[in-house]
Amino acid sequence: MIAIEHVSKWFGEFQVLKDCSTSVAKGEVVVVCGPSGSGKSTLIKCVNGLERIDRGEITVDGVSVASPKTSLPKLRARIGMVFQNFELYPHMTAAENIMLAPLKVLRRSKETARTRALELLERVGLSDFADRYPANLSGGQQQRVAIARALAMDPIAMLFDEPTSALDPEMINEVLDVMTSLAQDGMTMMVVTHEMGFASKVAHRVVFMDQGAIQEDSPRDVFFDRPTSDRAQLFLSKILRH
Amino acid sequence: MRYSWKWSAVLTDPYFDWIISGLELTLLLSLISWAIALVLGCLIGIARTAETKWIRSLAAAYVECFRNVPLLVIFFLWYFVAPEILPRNAGLWVKRDLPFPEFWTSVVALSTYTAAMVAEQVRAGIEAIPRGQANAALASGLTRWQVYRYILLPVGLRIAVPALGNEFINIFKNSSLALSIGLLELTSRTRQISEYTYQPLEMFITASAVYFVIAMLTTAIMMAIERRSRLPGMITRATR
Ligand SMILES: Nc1ncnc2c1ncn2[C@@H]1O[C@H](COP(=O)(O)OP(=O)(O)OP(=O)(O)O)[C@@H](O)[C@H]1O
Ligand SMILES: [Mg+2]
């Protein structure tokens, strides 16, 4: 579904991504982890073209992201994305947030979009919050609305960039639960996260990044039982001690 | 020497009608210029935040040009200089056939100047929005233009409402400079009346009072708009 091949990227002189290659198959959940500044966010943003790549190629469902012939809005409409800081639109209610892209991109009717929005809110456990503004929702609730917003476009894959890092500890699980149920329904997911509990339960593969390079790309059990790179071992020992 | 006050002059025929007609022109000039400045200012403000460098530079150049030249000079530039440097036929048309030239030249001067001020407020409003918002909207498949249309402008303008209210009061006060190119607006009318009646103090005090009342009314309206357009949960600040 998602193929990342020999991708490199520079911010000026600084090389953020160094010859990264990995893939996410249909229905697969791939967790990306690594220390801060290792390029995880940059890599995942390249997948839907929010960041441009300088070398290599990324294809999603056979469509080349960097090709000038690709219509990025059309491609992005098929890929859901959830951000660390939720990024709900502050002037719209939860339901309106979810309805915007279906209305304006897919040109759905208002009733269809609203019905679907309410369904999705129910799915993330927020039926009673459709008409609340983001400012009146907790962090965990906002992130669940953001997930519903991404799902409203019936995406073929979902990208998550540290979806729980900005949350208070007691809200992390409500978001992880939604993501777990998505994974169980067979959604194709690429998830940047430090939640190793989630990774060890849900991920099919784990990608470990350090200093812009993919140091390790292993099936989940291999990654947790006997990671091959020293850096990954060190990272795991640090993070699991917390 | 003692000044002899004669407030009744204000209400005497035809002076009262002159004041009213001056006020009408002032309001008309301010409102038309404001509408144009708002549209033009939004476009230039958007251009200031564009991805393409030359668009950003062009918009920045516009703002700097108008912001760094006194408004009075801008009035003279549009009135005396522009017709000369326009293409020949356009220049001739402006000089010979433009109806009510003092008025429409004032509209052009005020709106081009105020657009630069509005653009800065719109830009500041848009830049106050965290970058992730635009990314989230782009990621959902909206085009860049739709992101402006549905997210950046509505949110940015709400943030800019108090500052834009001040700009409206400014455009209204600045409209008095139209007297320099001969438009008989409120200030010009009161000066004219004081020359006829030799009662300048009453006239200018009256003019001040009218400006003051209208500015206060505007403030009240803007505060109401601000209350209604406020982003849910946003911490508010006073209008002035
Ligand atoms: N727009 C940018 N311009 C210049 N440098 C950038 C830019 N965005 C990110 N970087 C740099 O690129 C590196 C990788 O950033 P990135 O956000 O991808 O890291 P990350 O792995 O997601 O880290 P974190 O865990 O802190 O989110 C960092 O050193 C960062 O400072
Ligand atoms: Mg990051």
Side-chain angles (χ1 to χ4, degrees):
Chain A
M1 179 68 63
I2 301 172
I4 298 172
E5 285 157 18
H6 303 291
V7 166
S8 293
K9 178 178 176 64
W10 283 262
F11 282 123
E13 296 285 286
F14 173 66
Q15 188 171 5
V16 239
L17 297 178
K18 296 173 186 156
D19 197 32
C20 296
S21 299
T22 185
S23 63
V24 185
K26 190 162 188 299
E28 198 178 25
V29 178
V30 172
V31 161
V32 180
C33 60
S36 181
S38 55
K40 308 177 298 289
S41 296
T42 308
L43 181 67
I44 203 169
K45 281 188 200 147
C46 288
V47 173
N48 64 355
L50 287 178
E51 293 281 3
R52 238 190 293 256
I53 58 176
D54 294 317
R55 272 204 210 139
E57 178 154 66
I58 299 182
T59 56
V60 178
D61 195 27
V63 180
S64 164
V65 177
S67 159
K69 274 181 253 145
T70 301
S71 154
L72 275 179
K74 282 217 179 84
L75 179 65
R76 287 168 179 154
R78 304 170 62 209
I79 311 171
M81 186 161 191
V82 174
F83 298 80
Q84 183 169 356
N85 295 314
F86 330 134
E87 309 299 357
L88 293 183
Y89 316 131
H91 59 309
M92 297 182 186
T93 63
E96 287 167 348
N97 263 276
I98 299 172
M99 290 158 64
L100 181 69
L103 286 176
K104 303 304 171 191
V105 179
L106 304 179
R107 309 239 159 251
R108 296 223 172 112
S109 75
K110 235 186 171 147
E111 300 82 74
T112 318
R114 171 103 189 162
T115 311
R116 179 90 174 106
L118 296 180
E119 270 170 32
L120 286 165
L121 281 171
E122 189 175 338
R123 176 163 178 191
V124 299
L126 293 171
S127 307
D128 298 337
F129 297 84
D131 298 319
R132 287 237 200 149
Y133 284 94
N136 303 325
L137 295 172
S138 73
Q141 292 169 335
Q142 288 188 55
Q143 194 61 301
R144 285 185 283 154
V145 173
I147 294 174
R149 178 174 69 179
L151 291 175
M153 298 295 282
D154 301 319
I156 55 171
M158 289 277 284
L159 309 173
F160 293 82
D161 187 6
E162 303 207 33
T164 57
S165 303
L167 294 175
D168 293 336
E170 71 271 19
M171 295 174 185
I172 290 178
N173 279 328
E174 64 189 55
V175 171
L176 290 181
D177 288 347
V178 170
M179 291 169 60
T180 306
S181 92
L182 262 183
Q184 282 161 354
D185 290 351
M187 177 60 80
T188 306
M189 293 163 66
M190 182 170 174
V191 185
V192 175
T193 185
H194 291 156
E195 291 298 329
M196 289 301 127
F198 173 80
S200 66
K201 205 169 65 178
V202 180
H204 297 103
R205 286 201 351 268
V206 179
V207 169
F208 174 76
M209 286 185 78
D210 193 21
Q211 296 179 354
I214 292 180
Q215 304 284 346
E216 177 139 1
D217 182 349
S218 317
R220 170 190 60 190
D221 295 336
V222 176
F223 181 80
F224 284 108
D225 295 343
R226 43 196 149 81
T228 45
S229 73
D230 299 345
R231 292 237 176 86
Q233 277 173 19
L234 190 68
F235 177 77
L236 271 177
S237 68
K238 267 194 208 152
I239 218 160
L240 292 178
R241 224 179 292 135
H242 284 307
Chain B
M1 197 176 82
R2 276 188 55 89
Y3 185 78
S4 75
W5 294 87
K6 193 164 155 248
W7 280 101
S8 57
V10 176
L11 298 174
T12 318
D13 198 43
Y15 306 134
F16 184 72
D17 288 349
W18 290 9
I19 291 177
I20 295 300
S21 82
L23 178 60
E24 275 169 11
L25 273 184
T26 290
L27 288 176
L28 212 56
L29 170 60
S30 306
L31 288 172
I32 294 175
S33 305
W34 178 244
I36 298 173
L38 213 50
V39 175
L40 193 61
C42 280
L43 292 176
I44 297 168
I46 289 173
R48 288 275 274 154
T49 65
E51 259 197 319
T52 321
K53 185 151 191 279
W54 69 265
I55 298 180
R56 275 203 314 270
S57 312
L58 204 67
Y62 179 96
V63 170
E64 292 310 330
C65 284
F66 281 91
R67 197 163 60 168
N68 294 315
V69 175
L71 181 52
L72 184 59
V73 176
I74 292 174
F75 269 92
F76 289 157
L77 283 174
W78 282 114
Y79 197 65
F80 298 114
V81 182
E84 303 301 329
I85 57 179
L86 278 173
R88 214 181 117 73
N89 287 335
L92 274 179
W93 181 83
V94 169
K95 279 191 265 189
R96 285 198 316 228
D97 302 325
L98 176 68
F100 207 0
E102 319 86 271
F103 182 79
W104 291 110
T105 307
S106 298
V107 166
V108 170
L110 264 185
S111 52
T112 48
Y113 170 82
T114 309
M117 310 298 144
V118 170
E120 280 306 274
Q121 304 304 343
V122 171
R123 176 183 67 84
I126 290 175
E127 283 178 353
I129 304 169
R131 231 190 115 65
Q133 291 270 306
N135 271 344
L138 285 172
S140 72
L142 295 178
T143 62
R144 205 158 273 285
W145 182 245
Q146 286 177 317
V147 175
Y148 275 104
R149 166 81 183 71
Y150 297 112
I151 314 294
L152 298 180
L153 260 190
V155 178
L157 281 178
R158 279 171 166 89
I159 296 172
V161 160
L164 290 178
N166 288 344
E167 287 309 329
F168 181 73
I169 293 173
N170 283 341
I171 206 173
F172 168 70
K173 292 189 294 188
N174 287 339
S175 70
S176 65
L177 286 177
L179 109 153
S180 63
I181 59 172
L183 183 70
L184 289 173
E185 44 67 68
L186 183 59
T187 306
S188 173
R189 278 295 191 190
T190 44
R191 196 177 65 165
Q192 189 186 30
I193 301 170
S194 63
E195 278 160 11
Y196 277 81
T197 59
Y198 301 105
Q199 299 291 339
L201 301 196
E202 291 87 337
M203 295 309 148
F204 289 123
I205 290 172
T206 304
S208 309
V210 174
Y211 280 113
F212 181 83
V213 168
I214 289 177
M216 292 306 281
L217 279 177
T218 311
T219 306
I221 294 170
M222 289 312 297
M223 275 164 78
I225 293 177
E226 198 192 331
R227 261 196 307 279
R228 300 199 51 189
S229 68
R230 190 175 290 164
L231 284 173
M234 198 172 78
I235 296 156
T236 53
R237 62 193 172 94
T239 306
R240 286 205 279 183

